[in-house]
Amino acid sequence: MEFNGGHRLHVVMFPFFAFGHISPFVQLSKKLSLHGVKISFFSALGNVNRIQSMLHSVSAPTTTQVIPLTLPPVEGLPPGLESTADLSPAQSELLKLALDLMQPQISSLLSQLKPHFVLFDFAQEWLPPLASQLGIKTVFYSVFVALSTSYLTIPARLPEAEPTRPPAIEDLRKPPPGFPETSIKSMKTFEARDFLYMFKSFHGGASVYDRVLRGLNGCDIILAKTCREMEDPYVDHVTQQFKKPVLLVGPVVPEPRSEPLEGRWASWLGQFEPKSVIYCSFGSETFLSDEQVKELLLGLDLTGLPFFVVLNFPANTDISAELKRALPEGFLEKVKHKAVIHAGWVQQQQILAHQSVGCYVFHAGFSSVVEAIVNDCQLVMLPVRGDQLLNAKLVSGDLKAGVEVNRRDEDGYFGKDDIKDAVGRVMADIDKEPAKSISGNHKKWKEFLQNSEIQTKFVSDLVKEMEAVAGLRTV
Ligand SMILES: C[C@@H]1O[C@H](OP(=O)(O)OP(=O)(O)OC[C@H]2O[C@@H](n3ccc(=O)[nH]c3=O)[C@H](O)[C@@H]2O)[C@H](O)[C@H](O)[C@H]1O
């Protein structure tokens, strides 16, 4: 292998304007920077400061420049609100239309910057032909596990005879033709109903399924945030379906955070026994209904363990009124010595790393799965929507490293006893099944994720493969 001429690989990162997507693109940028890759990171102006602070890292050199984009006006989209975190679900659909109108701006930026690759997201299916005209290669960076693509967004998901008929709930309960033999045989009715969203068109725009399919079909390379150790059969299935290179960057384990945990949380957690506290949270933009909040909190109380719950609500919600409405009278007073119920952003990595935290009840966002495993917290999954439903199946069914809360098939209802049972399954005596084998598997995956040689090789192999495609390296 030989390296040609000292030219540095230059990559544009272009995630959808949602922090659940921006965050894995930032994490990958940091890893690529450590291997000397030059990064230009595209996002709407309103997101730039937050991205810059996310990119800041003591160990990563500053090879990343954030390039602000101007969001075009779209009727119904309030000016200045430029990520889904600030918008209602309906407005977030308009954000995709605004993105579609940005093609001339992207084209002119790409022709100035002339990167070797653009890594793009599910919503920019128009990018491959645009970049190809400029001689730039495109990489569809899938921030979802390969199972999610393999189950939902492959050509075989729609029947060959009627490729334009959106699937029904019954179709989505079953895996698509060609799906590999694994622990996943079917999904529940409420989960299949949630997947219908993928096939809906809003404001006359393309459905998520259509966008993803066009992106995956049009790109030069598919890159997935996963590894064969965890997802071999699904990676093979996706490769067969799209008949093009599928590169893997591994699970992208974040570096431990250097800033200490906020004092008030460190001292609250510090009063409890090691590994005795349940931490509970639902990622960046997942909300529970009143009834779910009530059953969750009553269930956590029933476990007898101390608990720290982070709940988020859609923009402009009166949080104390929400909690008051959802909870039985006197509940907050009753649990005040053993519980924190907080709304808003917290330092999740530092909380999971705290010695008192032993169990994590959460939505099964995959970054959170990885952070909990490396910090030795037992996983109790309560997925709410989309990929989370499949992540939970992967972790509980294939990896056997955590449990899911039992839910009713039709509507996903869970009661307080379901929460208590699920926590009990992983926090009970670890010399007894199922806790014994779950904790054994958990330990195995922790060792794998913490093996810095393996994790670094994922990124160095990726850089070498991209350099070879870009003609910077000859094999
Ligand atoms: C692609 C999208 O990813 C989403 O992920 P989300 O951001 O909710 O959750 P994680 O992947 O766990 O990521 C969440 C990340 O935010 C961090 N964090 C979160 C809340 C907080 O208060 N403090 C923190 O530090 C956390 O530590 C983790 O790194 C969903 O699955 C969604 O279904 C999917 O479409």
Side-chain angles (χ1 to χ4, degrees), residues 120 125 128-129 138 213-221 244:
F120 70 105
E125 80 285 5
T138 47
L213 261 273
R214 282 180 57 197
L216 290 170
N217 279 322
C219 68
D220 295 292
I221 294 171
K244 66 177 64 177

Side-chain angles (χ1 to χ4, degrees), residues 20-21 23 27 143-144 282-286 310 344-349 363 365-368 371 385 387-388 391:
H21 289 249
S23 170
Q27 284 174 359
V143 300
F144 304 112
F282 295 87
S284 53
E285 283 169 50
T286 297
V310 181
W345 193 257
V346 292
Q347 296 158 291
Q348 178 170 307
Q349 274 180 258
H363 66 314
F366 211 75
S367 299
S368 298
E371 290 166 20
R385 61 184 165 89
D387 62 312
Q388 301 163 8
N391 297 344

